[in-house]
Amino acid sequence: MVLRMAWRNIWRNKMRSLVIMFSIATGLLAGIAVLSLYDAMMNSRVRTVIDSEVAHIQLHHTNFKKDYDPKYVIANGDDVLQAIKKMPQVKAATARSITTGMLATATGSAGVTINGIIPEEEYKVSQLKQKLTAGKLFDENKKSQVMIGKKLAVKMKLKPGSKLVLTFTDTSGAIVSAAFRVAAIYESANAPLDERNVYVRMNELNELLLSNASFHEIAVLLSKDETLKTVQQNMQQLFPSVLVESWKDISPETDLMVDTVDQYSYIIMIIIMLALAFGIINTMLMAILERTREIGMMMALGTNRSKLFILVLCETLLLTLAGTPIGVLMGWLLTAYFHTKGLDLSGWGKEMMSNFGFGTMIYPEFPAERLPAVLLIVTATALVSCLFPAVKALKLQPVEALRR
Amino acid sequence: MNNTVIDVHNISRVYNPDTIPVYAVNNVHLHLQRGEFTALVGPSGSGKTTLLNMIGGLDKPDAGTIIINGMNITELSPRELVDFRLHNIGFVFQSYNLIPVLTAKENVEFIMLLQGKSKQERDQRVQQLFKEIGMEDKLNVRPAQLSSGQQQRVAVARALASKPQFILADEPTANLDSKSAANLLDIMALLNADENITFLFSTHDQRVINRARRVITLVDGKIASDTAAVDISQPHKFETV
């Protein structure tokens, strides 16, 4: 009976109830939009890290990353690489020779990380092929080709066909310089990385480094993100002398950013709900004040305070829960649309986003796994919002209420 | 066996005791026997409603005691009073005060639900009461669709639903036309006669006064006159309106 009364009571003033339900739905839509937008941005960032920067897992000599000394190659690198490629969870893996050095042109110079790659394997792991904006892929018939990032190209005024000189130290500590010609210019979602990384063929770099056929890094792309921890542990057991790191270890700032933004999105959600709570309080307070005499009569007849409290609670909850499916549906429709069409954030400043390593085209997804938490926040909002009107109702004295 | 249902001992209710004291009820002493059909009359401001509210446990006297069926209700806590009202007193208000979102049946059932009565018990009682008030065809109608007279009949049924010791009716016919008022009084008189239910009305309405078996007149919070207790064992002839 209390539930029935509560449901009918909220329809006594249809317009007011509809307005508050629409407010709840809109608040929920805003919350879902914020969550999915942040999720999408973070997913985009994580995908960028995995698919084009770091891959899921990287293996190095334990001392290599201390100061990128090229003498620290992965022992028995080929065997390790072949073993990794045979692992069922591994989608693709590639070897890289890496050194740091100086890129110089007639107009200036810049510090760079020189990545020696096996082109066909690299294209599968880091999507380098898809990132090209100018020039052509490495030509088998041409030697000493280099791919550079767009930001570096702009800074050094380079274009496909331009000449440059890379200077670095070899494994014996001697300084080596070699001339390369720009084969292509690439652009990723991370401008700072584009400015720092150049790609040459691994065999050419190895010749210059005097490191023979060995290499410094193995980048591994997995078929499923969820297997990351298991695969990392397996690899570490299989190759105990090698440093096995996941993208979370290599790019802890990204992991931290995901966690932080996750918390921020909930804070924003709570702020939205807090604003909404005042609307609910106002509506329920109006509903209570309008029914002062009726409540007084109910108390006079023998309705105790706990039942009255439950009535107000039910009314608030029903009002809130009635708006919830509408909000969830609107949120689902909105995210479904942008998930298909994509949301172009370049208006926010493509360069700025690129500088922070974010792609400008994101595909928001309905945050289904976060829906229980969202619904919990909404329900908690309703519960907290009803306290003030409920207390107001409970404080009524029947004899005074009946006089009104 | 003690037949006293309402035993009021020298009760007073004072408003503004610290500034200009106004005695709404001043040292009233009153006894009502089971089965009485009593009208509490007097001009506006004479203290009728205040006295009724105190007897009904809605208000507390500043002095004196009220004993209902042997229980001193002036000593009960607000929580105990709620429970006491639920099980012992039926209220009929001037402006019906039905719950608008409930149907006539649900309004009557509401009290029994609060009492924790079973569905079967509720259904039986509702059928019986609606038969008594002659509204068996209006069970599922909301108050807004009922006439004033019909609403007040439902209010009487609601007051009776809990099988109270007595019914307090505050100006029950004030908003009713002659026909509806007569009809309502017929029903209440019948219930009084058949089920021996005690009625205490506050009223200005001569139609009610004419049909009361005892008339207590309040003036300035004091009992000015009381037609005194009649022998309720004797059948009462009601005057026609």
Side-chain angles (χ1 to χ4, degrees), chain A residues 94-253:
Chain A
T94 188
R96 290 170 186 156
S97 279
I98 298 169
T99 190
T100 53
M102 186 74 77
L103 180 150
T105 65
T107 55
S109 61
V112 290
T113 299
I114 305 157
N115 297 275
I117 58 169
I118 304 163
E120 288 310 317
E121 289 188 1
E122 186 65 32
Y123 299 154
K124 290 176 194 166
V125 173
S126 69
Q127 299 177 349
L128 186 60
K129 195 174 178 178
Q130 287 93 318
K131 292 182 229 165
L132 297 193
T133 57
K136 289 179 181 175
L137 297 171
F138 287 117
D139 187 339
E140 285 179 10
N141 301 317
K142 291 181 181 171
K143 283 190 170 184
S144 301
Q145 287 189 307
V146 64
M147 285 185 186
I148 61 168
K150 188 178 177 183
K151 192 160 185 185
L152 183 66
V154 171
K155 183 180 163 187
M156 303 300 294
K157 295 176 184 151
L158 293 167
K159 55 187 181 182
S162 301
K163 264 188 176 179
L164 56 86
V165 175
L166 293 174
T167 305
F168 46 91
T169 53
D170 63 19
T171 49
S172 65
I175 293 176
V176 183
S177 288
F180 288 83
R181 195 175 290 276
V182 176
I185 293 169
Y186 69 89
E187 184 182 18
S188 74
N190 193 331
L193 277 184
D194 294 357
E195 191 180 4
R196 205 167 59 235
N197 283 283
V198 301
Y199 295 90
V200 298
R201 284 197 193 87
M202 192 169 86
N203 55 350
E204 290 178 359
L205 183 62
N206 281 354
E207 270 178 40
L208 295 165
L209 284 171
L210 305 174
S211 58
N212 301 320
S214 53
F215 42 82
H216 306 100
E217 181 175 284
I218 297 173
V220 183
L221 200 62
L222 302 176
S223 302
K224 288 178 182 171
D225 294 343
E226 302 81 56
T227 58
L228 176 66
K229 204 170 179 182
T230 321
V231 175
Q232 186 188 4
Q233 284 169 349
N234 289 348
M235 283 183 183
Q236 194 62 76
Q237 281 174 353
L238 283 169
F239 317 113
S241 62
V242 177
L243 179 66
V244 181
E245 292 175 299
S246 73
W247 68 265
K248 292 181 183 184
D249 303 319
I250 298 160
S251 181
E253 72 284 356

Side-chain angles (χ1 to χ4, degrees), chain B residues 48-139:
Chain B
K48 301 186 298 292
T49 301
T50 306
L51 180 60
L52 224 57
N53 284 340
M54 288 192 287
I55 293 171
L58 296 174
D59 200 1
K60 284 216 168 194
D62 295 306
T65 54
I66 300 166
I67 295 163
I68 308 285
N69 259 357
M71 180 175 282
N72 184 352
I73 67 164
T74 47
E75 289 176 348
L76 296 179
S77 69
R79 186 177 290 211
E80 287 168 332
L81 271 174
V82 170
D83 201 47
F84 181 82
R85 286 199 298 267
L86 177 62
H87 291 96
N88 294 279
I89 309 172
F91 288 94
V92 179
F93 303 97
Q94 180 181 337
S95 46
Y96 336 127
N97 282 346
L98 297 175
I99 300 170
V101 292
L102 300 182
T103 62
K105 182 194 172 198
E106 287 166 343
N107 262 287
V108 175
E109 228 182 341
F110 180 70
I111 301 292
M112 290 185 280
L113 270 168
L114 293 176
Q115 287 182 317
K117 298 268 170 68
S118 69
K119 186 174 186 322
Q120 191 189 359
E121 210 175 339
R122 292 197 314 261
D123 285 345
Q124 277 177 1
R125 186 80 177 134
V126 164
Q127 292 298 334
Q128 181 202 340
L129 288 167
F130 274 80
K131 194 176 174 186
E132 284 173 4
I133 62 169
M135 286 179 60
E136 292 146 293
D137 57 334
K138 303 284 184 190
L139 281 169

Side-chain angles (χ1 to χ4, degrees), chain A residues 15-71:
Chain A
M15 184 53 77
R16 190 173 62 204
S17 294
L18 284 172
V19 166
I20 198 71
M21 278 176 199
F22 187 71
S23 305
I24 291 161
T26 310
L28 203 55
L29 169 69
I32 288 172
V34 166
L35 288 180
S36 59
L37 182 68
Y38 279 160
D39 275 356
M41 285 174 74
M42 287 304 107
N43 281 341
S44 160
R45 176 71 195 120
V46 168
R47 286 261 62 93
T48 303
V49 168
I50 294 171
D51 296 337
S52 67
E53 292 174 14
V54 176
H56 281 105
I57 293 171
Q58 285 186 0
L59 295 89
H60 301 97
H61 186 285
T62 47
N63 289 329
F64 176 72
K65 289 181 85 177
K66 285 176 186 167
D67 56 2
Y68 289 87
D69 190 330
K71 71 182 179 192

Side-chain angles (χ1 to χ4, degrees), chain B residues 16-227:
Chain B
N16 311 322
D18 300 326
T19 51
I20 306 162
V22 177
Y23 281 83
V25 173
N26 192 354
N27 202 28
V28 167
H29 198 76
L30 176 69
H31 303 284
L32 253 76
Q33 304 288 310
R34 189 175 308 281
E36 282 200 40
F37 201 74
T38 306
L40 196 59
V41 301
S44 293
S46 59
K48 301 186 298 292
T49 301
T50 306
L51 180 60
L52 224 57
N53 284 340
M54 288 192 287
I55 293 171
L58 296 174
D59 200 1
K60 284 216 168 194
D62 295 306
T65 54
I66 300 166
I67 295 163
I68 308 285
N69 259 357
M71 180 175 282
N72 184 352
I73 67 164
T74 47
E75 289 176 348
L76 296 179
S77 69
R79 186 177 290 211
E80 287 168 332
L81 271 174
V82 170
D83 201 47
F84 181 82
R85 286 199 298 267
L86 177 62
H87 291 96
N88 294 279
I89 309 172
F91 288 94
V92 179
F93 303 97
Q94 180 181 337
S95 46
Y96 336 127
N97 282 346
L98 297 175
I99 300 170
V101 292
L102 300 182
T103 62
K105 182 194 172 198
E106 287 166 343
N107 262 287
V108 175
E109 228 182 341
F110 180 70
I111 301 292
M112 290 185 280
L113 270 168
L114 293 176
Q115 287 182 317
K117 298 268 170 68
S118 69
K119 186 174 186 322
Q120 191 189 359
E121 210 175 339
R122 292 197 314 261
D123 285 345
Q124 277 177 1
R125 186 80 177 134
V126 164
Q127 292 298 334
Q128 181 202 340
L129 288 167
F130 274 80
K131 194 176 174 186
E132 284 173 4
I133 62 169
M135 286 179 60
E136 292 146 293
D137 57 334
K138 303 284 184 190
L139 281 169
N140 297 312
V141 177
R142 295 238 189 138
Q145 270 87 54
L146 295 172
S147 69
S148 305
Q150 286 171 328
Q151 286 188 55
Q152 196 62 305
R153 277 147 68 189
V154 174
V156 170
R158 180 180 65 185
L160 289 164
S162 62
K163 297 186 176 172
Q165 299 292 328
F166 61 92
I167 287 179
L168 296 177
D170 189 10
E171 310 264 8
T173 56
N175 294 337
L176 301 184
D177 57 65
S178 299
K179 193 180 169 190
S180 300
N183 187 254
L184 184 76
L185 285 167
D186 286 342
I187 289 166
M188 292 199 285
L190 199 68
L191 290 164
N192 171 251
D194 289 354
E195 298 184 23
N196 205 29
I197 294 167
T198 311
F199 280 85
L200 176 60
F201 308 92
S202 79
T203 187
H204 280 108
D205 191 339
Q206 195 58 44
R207 296 167 298 190
V208 181
I209 299 167
N210 289 343
R211 297 185 70 164
R213 296 169 68 185
R214 179 181 174 188
V215 178
I216 299 166
T217 309
L218 275 182
V219 176
D220 295 336
K222 289 184 175 180
I223 294 178
S225 70
D226 185 349
T227 58

